[in-house]
Amino acid sequence: PFNPYEMGDPNNDSFTNIQDILLLISYITGQSEPDQYEELASDLNQDGNINIQDIIIMINFILGNTVNH
């Protein structure tokens, strides 16, 4: 499906940064519920779940590390 959000940018501010990590944490802990586009942008390993693995991928991306899946 079409996703207007960039992968790894669930808050859709054109940057992947700590704010996106905090948003993923809020989804995982149930403090907030992602809409369909936020969910697609947050599921970085595309396994159908937003979890710690997605946060690790995002942290590595922010730090400039490459991750082999």
Side-chain angles (χ1 to χ4, degrees):
F2 170 74
N3 186 2
Y5 287 35
E6 191 72 32
M7 192 68 134
D9 185 22
N11 68 357
N12 201 28
D13 68 354
S14 300
F15 301 99
T16 300
N17 54 34
I18 188 67
Q19 292 174 329
D20 298 297
I21 293 171
L22 294 173
L23 195 52
L24 262 65
I25 292 169
S26 74
Y27 298 155
I28 293 168
T29 60
Q31 294 174 344
S32 61
E33 186 74 28
D35 67 25
Q36 70 181 40
Y37 299 125
E38 292 165 338
E39 187 168 348
L40 288 171
S42 299
D43 185 15
L44 299 177
N45 62 357
Q46 299 180 336
D47 67 352
N49 298 300
I50 300 172
N51 54 38
I52 189 67
Q53 292 173 328
D54 301 301
I55 292 174
I56 292 168
I57 292 169
M58 187 176 287
I59 290 169
N60 279 305
F61 175 78
I62 291 169
L63 294 176
N65 299 329
T66 57
V67 178
N68 296 323
H69 303 269

